[in-house]
PDB file of all heavy atoms in Angstrom:
ATOM      1  N   VAL A 623     -20.627   4.354 -22.722  1.00  0.00           N
ATOM      2  CA  VAL A 623     -21.701   3.725 -23.488  1.00  0.00           C
ATOM      3  C   VAL A 623     -22.939   3.653 -22.602  1.00  0.00           C
ATOM      4  O   VAL A 623     -22.855   3.214 -21.448  1.00  0.00           O
ATOM      5  CB  VAL A 623     -21.301   2.308 -23.942  1.00  0.00           C
ATOM      6  CG1 VAL A 623     -22.455   1.611 -24.653  1.00  0.00           C
ATOM      7  CG2 VAL A 623     -20.065   2.371 -24.842  1.00  0.00           C
ATOM      8  N   GLN A 624     -24.049   4.111 -23.108  1.00  0.00           N
ATOM      9  CA  GLN A 624     -25.284   4.122 -22.331  1.00  0.00           C
ATOM     10  C   GLN A 624     -25.615   2.717 -21.826  1.00  0.00           C
ATOM     11  O   GLN A 624     -25.533   1.730 -22.562  1.00  0.00           O
ATOM     12  CB  GLN A 624     -26.435   4.655 -23.193  1.00  0.00           C
ATOM     13  CG  GLN A 624     -27.686   4.994 -22.398  1.00  0.00           C
ATOM     14  CD  GLN A 624     -28.750   5.623 -23.283  1.00  0.00           C
ATOM     15  OE1 GLN A 624     -29.070   5.079 -24.337  1.00  0.00           O
ATOM     16  NE2 GLN A 624     -29.291   6.758 -22.882  1.00  0.00           N
ATOM     17  N   GLY A 625     -25.941   2.637 -20.544  1.00  0.00           N
ATOM     18  CA  GLY A 625     -26.295   1.361 -19.942  1.00  0.00           C
ATOM     19  C   GLY A 625     -25.128   0.646 -19.279  1.00  0.00           C
ATOM     20  O   GLY A 625     -25.345  -0.293 -18.506  1.00  0.00           O
ATOM     21  N   LYS A 626     -23.905   1.050 -19.551  1.00  0.00           N
ATOM     22  CA  LYS A 626     -22.733   0.393 -18.970  1.00  0.00           C
ATOM     23  C   LYS A 626     -22.360   1.066 -17.637  1.00  0.00           C
ATOM     24  O   LYS A 626     -22.671   2.231 -17.391  1.00  0.00           O
ATOM     25  CB  LYS A 626     -21.537   0.461 -19.914  1.00  0.00           C
ATOM     26  CG  LYS A 626     -21.757  -0.213 -21.270  1.00  0.00           C
ATOM     27  CD  LYS A 626     -21.841  -1.729 -21.141  1.00  0.00           C
ATOM     28  CE  LYS A 626     -21.890  -2.395 -22.513  1.00  0.00           C
ATOM     29  NZ  LYS A 626     -22.029  -3.868 -22.407  1.00  0.00           N
ATOM     30  N   THR A 627     -21.652   0.300 -16.792  1.00  0.00           N
ATOM     31  CA  THR A 627     -21.203   0.798 -15.496  1.00  0.00           C
ATOM     32  C   THR A 627     -19.675   0.882 -15.482  1.00  0.00           C
ATOM     33  O   THR A 627     -18.995  -0.041 -15.950  1.00  0.00           O
ATOM     34  CB  THR A 627     -21.696  -0.098 -14.351  1.00  0.00           C
ATOM     35  OG1 THR A 627     -23.133  -0.066 -14.312  1.00  0.00           O
ATOM     36  CG2 THR A 627     -21.164   0.370 -13.000  1.00  0.00           C
ATOM     37  N   TYR A 628     -19.168   1.969 -14.930  1.00  0.00           N
ATOM     38  CA  TYR A 628     -17.732   2.256 -14.936  1.00  0.00           C
ATOM     39  C   TYR A 628     -17.242   2.481 -13.500  1.00  0.00           C
ATOM     40  O   TYR A 628     -17.991   2.977 -12.658  1.00  0.00           O
ATOM     41  CB  TYR A 628     -17.446   3.499 -15.781  1.00  0.00           C
ATOM     42  CG  TYR A 628     -17.884   3.333 -17.215  1.00  0.00           C
ATOM     43  CD1 TYR A 628     -19.219   3.570 -17.589  1.00  0.00           C
ATOM     44  CD2 TYR A 628     -16.999   2.900 -18.193  1.00  0.00           C
ATOM     45  CE1 TYR A 628     -19.635   3.385 -18.899  1.00  0.00           C
ATOM     46  CE2 TYR A 628     -17.409   2.726 -19.499  1.00  0.00           C
ATOM     47  CZ  TYR A 628     -18.727   2.959 -19.851  1.00  0.00           C
ATOM     48  OH  TYR A 628     -19.134   2.759 -21.145  1.00  0.00           O
ATOM     49  N   LEU A 629     -15.987   2.115 -13.269  1.00  0.00           N
ATOM     50  CA  LEU A 629     -15.364   2.348 -11.966  1.00  0.00           C
ATOM     51  C   LEU A 629     -14.475   3.582 -12.060  1.00  0.00           C
ATOM     52  O   LEU A 629     -13.502   3.602 -12.824  1.00  0.00           O
ATOM     53  CB  LEU A 629     -14.532   1.132 -11.542  1.00  0.00           C
ATOM     54  CG  LEU A 629     -13.776   1.256 -10.215  1.00  0.00           C
ATOM     55  CD1 LEU A 629     -14.735   1.491  -9.053  1.00  0.00           C
ATOM     56  CD2 LEU A 629     -12.925   0.012  -9.957  1.00  0.00           C
ATOM     57  N   LEU A 630     -14.827   4.607 -11.310  1.00  0.00           N
ATOM     58  CA  LEU A 630     -13.998   5.816 -11.225  1.00  0.00           C
ATOM     59  C   LEU A 630     -13.072   5.682 -10.024  1.00  0.00           C
ATOM     60  O   LEU A 630     -13.530   5.468  -8.896  1.00  0.00           O
ATOM     61  CB  LEU A 630     -14.864   7.070 -11.073  1.00  0.00           C
ATOM     62  CG  LEU A 630     -15.917   7.329 -12.152  1.00  0.00           C
ATOM     63  CD1 LEU A 630     -16.588   8.678 -11.912  1.00  0.00           C
ATOM     64  CD2 LEU A 630     -15.317   7.269 -13.547  1.00  0.00           C
ATOM     65  N   ARG A 631     -11.788   5.776 -10.264  1.00  0.00           N
ATOM     66  CA  ARG A 631     -10.788   5.712  -9.193  1.00  0.00           C
ATOM     67  C   ARG A 631     -10.346   7.150  -8.919  1.00  0.00           C
ATOM     68  O   ARG A 631      -9.468   7.682  -9.588  1.00  0.00           O
ATOM     69  CB  ARG A 631      -9.627   4.820  -9.612  1.00  0.00           C
ATOM     70  CG  ARG A 631     -10.038   3.358  -9.865  1.00  0.00           C
ATOM     71  CD  ARG A 631      -8.838   2.520 -10.243  1.00  0.00           C
ATOM     72  NE  ARG A 631      -9.148   1.105 -10.420  1.00  0.00           N
ATOM     73  CZ  ARG A 631      -9.146   0.196  -9.458  1.00  0.00           C
ATOM     74  NH1 ARG A 631      -8.877   0.573  -8.215  1.00  0.00           N
ATOM     75  NH2 ARG A 631      -9.415  -1.070  -9.710  1.00  0.00           N
ATOM     76  N   ILE A 632     -10.972   7.776  -7.923  1.00  0.00           N
ATOM     77  CA  ILE A 632     -10.810   9.206  -7.664  1.00  0.00           C
ATOM     78  C   ILE A 632      -9.737   9.408  -6.599  1.00  0.00           C
ATOM     79  O   ILE A 632      -9.779   8.798  -5.528  1.00  0.00           O
ATOM     80  CB  ILE A 632     -12.149   9.822  -7.211  1.00  0.00           C
ATOM     81  CG1 ILE A 632     -13.254   9.488  -8.221  1.00  0.00           C
ATOM     82  CG2 ILE A 632     -12.016  11.332  -7.043  1.00  0.00           C
ATOM     83  CD1 ILE A 632     -14.654   9.789  -7.711  1.00  0.00           C
ATOM     84  N   ILE A 633      -8.770  10.272  -6.899  1.00  0.00           N
ATOM     85  CA  ILE A 633      -7.636  10.541  -6.012  1.00  0.00           C
ATOM     86  C   ILE A 633      -7.516  12.049  -5.828  1.00  0.00           C
ATOM     87  O   ILE A 633      -7.513  12.804  -6.807  1.00  0.00           O
ATOM     88  CB  ILE A 633      -6.323  10.006  -6.630  1.00  0.00           C
ATOM     89  CG1 ILE A 633      -6.402   8.485  -6.851  1.00  0.00           C
ATOM     90  CG2 ILE A 633      -5.124  10.385  -5.767  1.00  0.00           C
ATOM     91  CD1 ILE A 633      -5.290   7.945  -7.730  1.00  0.00           C
ATOM     92  N   ASN A 634      -7.432  12.502  -4.588  1.00  0.00           N
ATOM     93  CA  ASN A 634      -7.154  13.915  -4.351  1.00  0.00           C
ATOM     94  C   ASN A 634      -5.657  14.084  -4.145  1.00  0.00           C
ATOM     95  O   ASN A 634      -5.114  13.783  -3.082  1.00  0.00           O
ATOM     96  CB  ASN A 634      -7.920  14.446  -3.141  1.00  0.00           C
ATOM     97  CG  ASN A 634      -7.767  15.962  -2.997  1.00  0.00           C
ATOM     98  OD1 ASN A 634      -6.900  16.570  -3.632  1.00  0.00           O
ATOM     99  ND2 ASN A 634      -8.597  16.576  -2.175  1.00  0.00           N
ATOM    100  N   ALA A 635      -4.995  14.552  -5.203  1.00  0.00           N
ATOM    101  CA  ALA A 635      -3.539  14.776  -5.166  1.00  0.00           C
ATOM    102  C   ALA A 635      -3.203  16.241  -4.901  1.00  0.00           C
ATOM    103  O   ALA A 635      -2.043  16.635  -5.025  1.00  0.00           O
ATOM    104  CB  ALA A 635      -2.924  14.333  -6.493  1.00  0.00           C
ATOM    105  N   ALA A 636      -4.202  17.052  -4.537  1.00  0.00           N
ATOM    106  CA  ALA A 636      -3.960  18.472  -4.294  1.00  0.00           C
ATOM    107  C   ALA A 636      -3.081  18.663  -3.061  1.00  0.00           C
ATOM    108  O   ALA A 636      -3.060  17.836  -2.152  1.00  0.00           O
ATOM    109  CB  ALA A 636      -5.282  19.214  -4.115  1.00  0.00           C
ATOM    110  N   LEU A 637      -2.361  19.783  -3.038  1.00  0.00           N
ATOM    111  CA  LEU A 637      -1.518  20.101  -1.886  1.00  0.00           C
ATOM    112  C   LEU A 637      -2.341  20.624  -0.715  1.00  0.00           C
ATOM    113  O   LEU A 637      -2.108  20.251   0.427  1.00  0.00           O
ATOM    114  CB  LEU A 637      -0.477  21.158  -2.266  1.00  0.00           C
ATOM    115  CG  LEU A 637       0.664  20.749  -3.190  1.00  0.00           C
ATOM    116  CD1 LEU A 637       1.566  21.944  -3.458  1.00  0.00           C
ATOM    117  CD2 LEU A 637       1.474  19.610  -2.600  1.00  0.00           C
ATOM    118  N   ASN A 638      -3.312  21.486  -0.990  1.00  0.00           N
ATOM    119  CA  ASN A 638      -3.931  22.240   0.102  1.00  0.00           C
ATOM    120  C   ASN A 638      -5.448  22.326   0.053  1.00  0.00           C
ATOM    121  O   ASN A 638      -6.028  23.035   0.876  1.00  0.00           O
ATOM    122  CB  ASN A 638      -3.361  23.671   0.127  1.00  0.00           C
ATOM    123  CG  ASN A 638      -1.898  23.703   0.502  1.00  0.00           C
ATOM    124  OD1 ASN A 638      -1.470  23.021   1.415  1.00  0.00           O
ATOM    125  ND2 ASN A 638      -1.105  24.477  -0.231  1.00  0.00           N
ATOM    126  N   ASN A 639      -6.098  21.633  -0.869  1.00  0.00           N
ATOM    127  CA  ASN A 639      -7.548  21.782  -0.983  1.00  0.00           C
ATOM    128  C   ASN A 639      -8.284  20.459  -0.827  1.00  0.00           C
ATOM    129  O   ASN A 639      -8.021  19.500  -1.558  1.00  0.00           O
ATOM    130  CB  ASN A 639      -7.923  22.384  -2.343  1.00  0.00           C
ATOM    131  CG  ASN A 639      -7.781  23.886  -2.368  1.00  0.00           C
ATOM    132  OD1 ASN A 639      -8.409  24.590  -1.577  1.00  0.00           O
ATOM    133  ND2 ASN A 639      -6.955  24.397  -3.272  1.00  0.00           N
ATOM    134  N   GLN A 640      -9.213  20.415   0.139  1.00  0.00           N
ATOM    135  CA  GLN A 640     -10.220  19.371   0.127  1.00  0.00           C
ATOM    136  C   GLN A 640     -11.238  19.743  -0.941  1.00  0.00           C
ATOM    137  O   GLN A 640     -11.446  20.927  -1.225  1.00  0.00           O
ATOM    138  CB  GLN A 640     -10.879  19.257   1.499  1.00  0.00           C
ATOM    139  CG  GLN A 640      -9.871  18.963   2.597  1.00  0.00           C
ATOM    140  CD  GLN A 640     -10.534  18.590   3.900  1.00  0.00           C
ATOM    141  OE1 GLN A 640     -11.202  17.571   3.978  1.00  0.00           O
ATOM    142  NE2 GLN A 640     -10.342  19.405   4.929  1.00  0.00           N
TER     143      GLN A 640
END
Side-chain angles (χ1 to χ4, degrees):
V623 176
Q624 193 175 50
K626 300 290 187 182
T627 297
Y628 300 84
L629 178 60
L630 303 185
R631 297 181 177 272
I632 307 167
I633 300 167
N634 187 346
L637 289 179
N638 293 316
N639 278 302
Q640 302 191 64

